Amino acid sequence: MARATGAVEAAGCLAPELRETPILSANPYEAAGFYDTAIASGRHRDIVGGRWEETGRIELAVLKDAGLLPHHHLLDIGAGSLRLGCKAVPYLEAGHYWATDASREILMAGHRCELEDPARLDPSQLVQDAQFAFPGIPEVITHAIAFAVFPHLPLAYLRRALTNLHRFPQLERFLFTVFLAPDAAQAAQPYRQADGVVTHDLRPPYHLLEADVHHFAEICGWRLDRNPVMLPRGQVLFVAEPLRR
């Protein structure tokens, strides 16, 4: 019987419920050559969501409201082409800005094209990281932000970020944005946000239930507040503080 089962598996004849069907990602950022093509055509700003100037100003403003001062150390998660970085680097003391993204090429495009004084930011502080592992980021980080990152990713990535950020003992606040749906019934369907973006539960851009966000924060050791600020495209801002144990 064991030999027969092995032969069937080898022939690709597993029962339908046991087969793993390859799933093509609906996330354009994961398409082969996406970053290279955009950077080569000078579109490094466009692919991080548009509204470059407006969104960058809002990001720095909400960080300042959360207590970010020039002597603090900032981690910009999913920083793209430094939409926030081109404003945060001049504001912070030299060397106090760190950034991660799934593509280091897009980070370096921002370094080349968007910084008034590139010497204030060592390229080694731009770190490729698609897994929210934060490799090589020093423990001095006091503030972190992931703006318009989680709408592109399954919910498990939020849990991973909330878990791994605990390795920064001086971290005071983590700011992140998500799209929300008002209830479970509407979350199961495409939902039109206030700014017109249509979000989904099973493909990007994703929406979540607010109760799920609070649940993840609680089980991962964070106290969570929803900020009432109005954000581009209808995103919702949460401010998380670690529960010290």
Side-chain angles (χ1 to χ4, degrees), residues 24-75:
L24 297 178
S25 173
N27 189 344
Y29 294 95
E30 296 177 354
F34 176 81
Y35 290 101
D36 293 340
T37 301
I39 293 169
S41 61
R43 297 180 55 248
H44 63 275
R45 284 190 175 191
D46 298 336
I47 63 173
V48 298
R51 299 190 182 186
W52 173 275
E53 187 63 30
E54 173 194 4
T55 304
R57 287 198 308 267
I58 290 172
E59 289 183 77
L60 186 57
V62 296
L63 281 164
K64 288 181 177 179
D65 287 344
L68 183 72
L69 295 171
H71 69 274
H72 286 139
H73 295 259
L74 175 64
L75 173 58

Side-chain angles (χ1 to χ4, degrees), residues 6-244:
V8 169
E9 290 178 352
C13 296
L14 282 172
E17 65 272 15
L18 299 180
R19 296 174 188 162
E20 290 189 4
T21 302
I23 298 175
L24 297 178
S25 173
N27 189 344
Y29 294 95
E30 296 177 354
F34 176 81
Y35 290 101
D36 293 340
T37 301
I39 293 169
S41 61
R43 297 180 55 248
H44 63 275
R45 284 190 175 191
D46 298 336
I47 63 173
V48 298
R51 299 190 182 186
W52 173 275
E53 187 63 30
E54 173 194 4
T55 304
R57 287 198 308 267
I58 290 172
E59 289 183 77
L60 186 57
V62 296
L63 281 164
K64 288 181 177 179
D65 287 344
L68 183 72
L69 295 171
H71 69 274
H72 286 139
H73 295 259
L74 175 64
L75 173 58
D76 187 2
I77 301 168
S81 50
L82 307 188
R83 179 176 58 193
L84 167 61
C86 67
K87 293 174 170 54
V89 169
Y91 173 74
L92 295 168
E93 294 179 10
H96 286 215
Y97 173 87
W98 290 76
T100 64
D101 198 89
S103 165
R104 191 163 191 272
E105 289 75 15
I106 197 68
L107 292 168
M108 292 305 299
H111 192 278
R112 290 191 303 272
C113 302
E114 301 299 341
L115 298 181
E116 291 184 5
D117 183 5
R120 285 181 58 85
L121 178 59
D122 189 329
S124 68
Q125 294 178 217
L126 305 175
V127 178
Q128 182 166 321
D129 177 26
Q131 303 299 323
F132 296 87
F134 314 124
I137 307 297
E139 292 188 350
V140 295
I141 297 299
T142 59
H143 293 72
I145 187 170
F147 197 99
V149 174
F150 298 116
H152 301 289
L153 298 169
L155 181 57
Y157 284 91
L158 174 59
R159 182 183 64 228
R160 181 183 288 256
L162 289 168
T163 300
N164 290 342
L165 281 169
H166 278 298
R167 79 170 181 83
F168 300 107
Q170 300 182 56
L171 185 64
E172 298 176 14
R173 291 179 180 88
F174 170 43
L175 284 65
F176 64 92
T177 64
V178 296
F179 285 116
L180 295 178
D183 54 54
Q186 293 184 79
Q189 305 294 328
Y191 182 75
R192 187 173 298 277
Q193 301 291 330
D195 204 20
V197 176
V198 177
T199 56
H200 311 268
D201 63 339
L202 296 179
R203 66 178 179 86
Y206 293 97
H207 54 230
L208 307 173
L209 292 175
E210 185 167 359
D212 291 336
V213 180
H214 280 277
H215 176 66
F216 264 35
E218 180 181 356
I219 64 175
C220 293
W222 297 82
R223 187 181 69 82
L224 201 63
D225 287 319
R226 178 173 172 174
N227 190 301
V229 64
M230 297 295 292
L231 298 178
R233 307 196 185 283
Q235 294 179 82
V236 176
L237 174 67
F238 287 94
V239 180
E241 297 182 0
L243 297 173
R244 305 300 182 187

